[in-house]
Amino acid sequence: MQNIQTVIDSIYDEMKNHLGEGKVADYIPELAKIDPKQFGIAVTTVEGETFVAGDAAVPFSIQSISKVFMLTLALGKAGESVWKRVGREPSGSSFNSIVQLEHEHGIPRNPFVNAGAIVVTDMVLAGHQPREAIGELLRFVRYLSNDDTVSIDNTVAKSEQATGFRNFALANFMRSFGNIHHPVDHTLGVYFHQCALSMNCVQLARAGLFLANRGRNPLTGHTVVSDRRARRINALMLTCGHYDGSGDFAYHVGLPGKSGVGGGILAVAPGKASIAVWSPGLNKVGNSALGSDALEMLANRMGWSVFGA
Amino acid sequence: MQNIQTVIDSIYDEMKNHLGEGKVADYIPELAKIDPKQFGIAVTTVEGETFVAGDAAVPFSIQSISKVFMLTLALGKAGESVWKRVGREPSGSSFNSIVQLEHEHGIPRNPFVNAGAIVVTDMVLAGHQPREAIGELLRFVRYLSNDDTVSIDNTVAKSEQATGFRNFALANFMRSFGNIHHPVDHTLGVYFHQCALSMNCVQLARAGLFLANRGRNPLTGHTVVSDRRARRINALMLTCGHYDGSGDFAYHVGLPGKSGVGGGILAVAPGKASIAVWSPGLNKVGNSALGSDALEMLANRMGWSVFGA
Amino acid sequence: MQNIQTVIDSIYDEMKNHLGEGKVADYIPELAKIDPKQFGIAVTTVEGETFVAGDAAVPFSIQSISKVFMLTLALGKAGESVWKRVGREPSGSSFNSIVQLEHEHGIPRNPFVNAGAIVVTDMVLAGHQPREAIGELLRFVRYLSNDDTVSIDNTVAKSEQATGFRNFALANFMRSFGNIHHPVDHTLGVYFHQCALSMNCVQLARAGLFLANRGRNPLTGHTVVSDRRARRINALMLTCGHYDGSGDFAYHVGLPGKSGVGGGILAVAPGKASIAVWSPGLNKVGNSALGSDALEMLANRMGWSVFGA
Amino acid sequence: MQNIQTVIDSIYDEMKNHLGEGKVADYIPELAKIDPKQFGIAVTTVEGETFVAGDAAVPFSIQSISKVFMLTLALGKAGESVWKRVGREPSGSSFNSIVQLEHEHGIPRNPFVNAGAIVVTDMVLAGHQPREAIGELLRFVRYLSNDDTVSIDNTVAKSEQATGFRNFALANFMRSFGNIHHPVDHTLGVYFHQCALSMNCVQLARAGLFLANRGRNPLTGHTVVSDRRARRINALMLTCGHYDGSGDFAYHVGLPGKSGVGGGILAVAPGKASIAVWSPGLNKVGNSALGSDALEMLANRMGWSVFGA
């Protein structure tokens, strides 16, 4: 094993030659405005040390990475009954496919495809007003990252709300099967705000640290979830965290991870560290191109793959 | 961590109360004849010790578990070019679905669904006669398990050949896309024989040990594959090894594994051990019911999940 | 050929023994309240004579039959450019399937599945307010039937609006592909009102008469569409008018027709007559059970099938 | 109505300017060798007169048009029980799709997609040797066309047998569901020979004449099928006869018809005439490009659409 700072510095050096590669998400106008030539990485170890390189302090829209935090909240509220309304299997299709929903009668395949995350949001809403649920999520993420400056970018949320027809289709479709319990506008109102969480790599790495440390955040001493639940969330991230590129990510990186179309990826090395990378250009399955490459290098050089000794 | 023998003895004690649960595969006449009230487990550690309980010495038809060995052979011959003809993503459908093949133009999703394994077999055939390829596979599995008594059950192979219309459909379909290069009868001839490999739990656990030990079999000292390739095969087993129950297996067990309709499962605890369980009754996604439960207990009690510290 | 009145009287006599068979649509609360033991039939010939039997004067919700009138309006406004946004092929799936839409990028298969009818409605809306488009449709149907008492049942419309999540899903899904041009609420507002058109068999048979008479209504002397367009609308009704029971209807009845879940069917015998039947109980593909049987008898006894001499 | 000879002469004149348009089927080597610059048409009226233009005497491979004759044979043998093993609905997909078969458990949608025709062939085989069934079909088509020179092109049959992997896939797939009762090689042996029937336009128009004349061939006086069965076969041709272009053909031509990839189309104008056209170039849904256009002109100019008065 090598020194972490040395490793991420050398990765950043290599990535500098590739800044701007990939394709920035443009289906949300606000995301399309981001400068693609950025790359940041932060590694927080279970011992509590944080290492950074590049644009690790620049906030970005974490988008689907928020699904991990929302699932954690929902499991806390509903326990294993969550799985009555959403599955745990990889989808074999793109992040916003509606085909599977018709074949499986409104039950999404897993909590990390859009449909599944919308159902999870509907569980967290649990009869409250959207504003309260959004507040609850924001408090939770600030608690996880131990940083009260984490915020939601309302411009991004509004931008998604105005153009998210596909998500309206998914939610109405599931409602037709009885798998959305609140008015679609309420559930999606919360959903669009969670996607608009704005965090930098350091905040994100810290927020995910409990997953690398048996459910307990070593920085704060808080136990977020049980040891078993942390393992299970990691398992879901590994099998379903990168849409139809999950198998590829497992093959090359070998770590549980969750990506977002904003270009961020949160990865977990159990027992070792939580890692956040960010670079806006996406590869053809919708995951950060440079972020994926950086994680492969990091996992290989540190020997962190869960599939090796 | 507890003593391995104590753990598997207690697991066996619990399993005794459930012998015969699940449904024995009956689509192949030969498999339907098996006494369902059997359960065996063998654990071989990277230090070279083997622990057994129950019917660990009874040979059974390993069926799809052979796909792991055949993939290892194909990667040895063709290297990463294997992935030009087969994908690496979970399928999101059952083991013998043909729908995905049509949508993706004859390229199977991964090497562990039937279609993918048939393509992998076609690669290993590589212009040779079926008899030679079958011989090569048998020698390879004997070499891995360090046991020359491993054999192929020709009655099972013939039984599959006579009733395997679905596999003939898959192979012809892929041939229509140019993704099978040999006469369908040749490729399937080899395929049906590999499925008919007969092994007991001890032999199987030993044959998979290289995957738990960075590619090297500590019992023989042979390096089978590189460290990186072992990790990658493990990653494929974890994301795709249990058909449409792969996500569930990762969630509950947290180990790379490959199941067969004969009721066997090979699981890998990287850096720790290779495990083979066998019990003929299958759960509703086609994996050994007792075998899955036993592995969940073992992984939990030994702390072997790849997703925990 | 026999006397029409004699034929429909004998059909009504037979149907009396089966009143209440089939299953009344219950997905819209208002429809579920209808007394199922009703059957009406009206035949209007191209010579202008009308023959009735049973409950031919009882108004019912014509539901999807309205799609024929809306398509006629849209073709009048947009001509053949209608087909840039909707196909002309049978769907091979149920009336509200969303799977096909994903595979064909938001272009519905034909104007008589829900998605297609919603697109057609969006064309008729054409920048106007929903209220105006609803008014235009109502005037058009009154003009076709030459009867100003045809009305829209606002209770039914509201009932559909409150429960039509599947249609909201379809519309939002198509909007995500750019194939809905107005706010989804506007387009669906019109759509739900057109489905709620309330007519009796006599009114409906008269409204469809132009399709049996080369595009000209012989009762009023108005030319509604050209000869060619009438033929083409008939062709669409024959291939696509009964959802996934269209082939079966062609096989047994042999007439262009369009059914609605309210239990009505409008059928066209080119050069001979327009026929409306109504009975609330539906068969398993969602078409009026007694209505289909009655039309088969009528077509056979009168020799009206388009497929015979 | 105009004089038939005048109409087809003028159509032929127009078609001469387009000879060679479209794309000749090349998936069977033998078909790819045909000179694309050919066009023939033959019209046989129910009064027994035959009119020809262009290459009406040149034999061509009728391919899927043979499915009409095979279905007629199967209905004669098995009656309506045919529909237990094959449906009557348009497919909504291409001629050789296997997706639908999986969703509907091995029951093809209709007798005119490949899978359905293979099942129909399996019914006609009915325990006999392939050679006998081929002989029976050939005698039947000679009897229908009243011409003993109709033959089967064995080179084409062998060419299809050697490359028809997709059909082997379909047949094996259906056999896995128990919907093929003979060895796949036997059923497909007959199937490939029926596709290889070689006929010219005159022979083909005469062979289809019974469908235009209530089931009775006016040239020979033979009653082939009942009035009702003729209507029903026509209905199937209209809704399913042109694969995923059936709706379009009904819309433009308005006649029951069946196309083949050899470039032939058989169309039926009930009570008027049987029409055969042939030109090798295919449009993008796989039907003869010039043949479709010619039939649209003919139907319009003669007023033969079943959808007009």
Side-chain angles (χ1 to χ4, degrees), chain A residues 76-131:
Chain A
K77 287 181 178 228
E80 294 295 302
S81 76
V82 161
W83 309 117
K84 292 180 185 162
R85 292 174 59 191
V86 61
R88 285 191 301 254
E89 293 300 329
S91 68
S93 52
S94 71
F95 68 101
N96 60 4
S97 174
I98 207 161
V99 169
Q100 173 271 329
L101 276 185
E102 180 159 332
H103 290 150
E104 301 184 14
H105 308 293
I107 305 294
R109 293 228 107 205
N110 66 64
F112 296 151
V113 291
N114 284 17
I118 292 169
V119 166
V120 167
T121 300
D122 195 65
M123 292 175 197
V124 171
L125 194 45
H128 295 108
Q129 289 302 307
R131 181 185 304 264

Side-chain angles (χ1 to χ4, degrees), chain C residues 80 83 88-90 92 109 214 228 231-232 234-235 238 244-248 250-252 270 300 305-309, chain D residues 80 83 88-90 92 109 214 228 231-232 234-235 238 244-248 250-252 270 300 305 307-309:
Chain C
E80 295 295 302
W83 309 117
R88 285 190 302 254
E89 293 299 327
R109 292 229 106 205
R214 301 170 174 273
R228 171 174 295 196
R231 285 202 307 270
R232 290 177 161 186
N234 287 338
L238 193 125
D244 208 22
S246 297
D248 204 62
Y251 187 85
H252 283 111
N300 280 339
S305 163
V306 302
F307 299 117
Chain D
E80 295 295 302
W83 309 117
R88 287 190 301 255
E89 294 299 329
R109 293 229 107 204
R214 301 169 175 275
R228 171 173 297 195
R231 286 202 306 270
R232 289 176 162 186
N234 287 338
L238 193 124
D244 208 21
S246 297
D248 204 61
Y251 187 86
H252 283 112
N300 280 338
S305 163
F307 299 117

Side-chain angles (χ1 to χ4, degrees), chain A residues 88-89 109 244 247-248 251, chain B residues 88-89 109 244 247-248:
Chain A
R88 285 191 301 254
E89 293 300 329
R109 293 228 107 205
D244 209 21
D248 205 60
Y251 187 84
Chain B
R88 285 190 300 254
E89 293 300 326
R109 292 227 107 205
D244 208 21
D248 205 60

Side-chain angles (χ1 to χ4, degrees), chain B residues 95 242-245 282-287:
Chain B
F95 69 101
H242 290 77
Y243 310 122
D244 208 21
L282 306 181
N283 62 22
K284 65 177 193 290
V285 286
N287 301 315

Side-chain angles (χ1 to χ4, degrees), chain B residues 170-185:
Chain B
L170 291 168
N172 275 290
F173 197 68
M174 291 189 290
R175 180 126 200 224
S176 78
F177 286 102
N179 200 20
I180 292 292
H181 299 172
H182 299 84
V184 162
D185 283 350

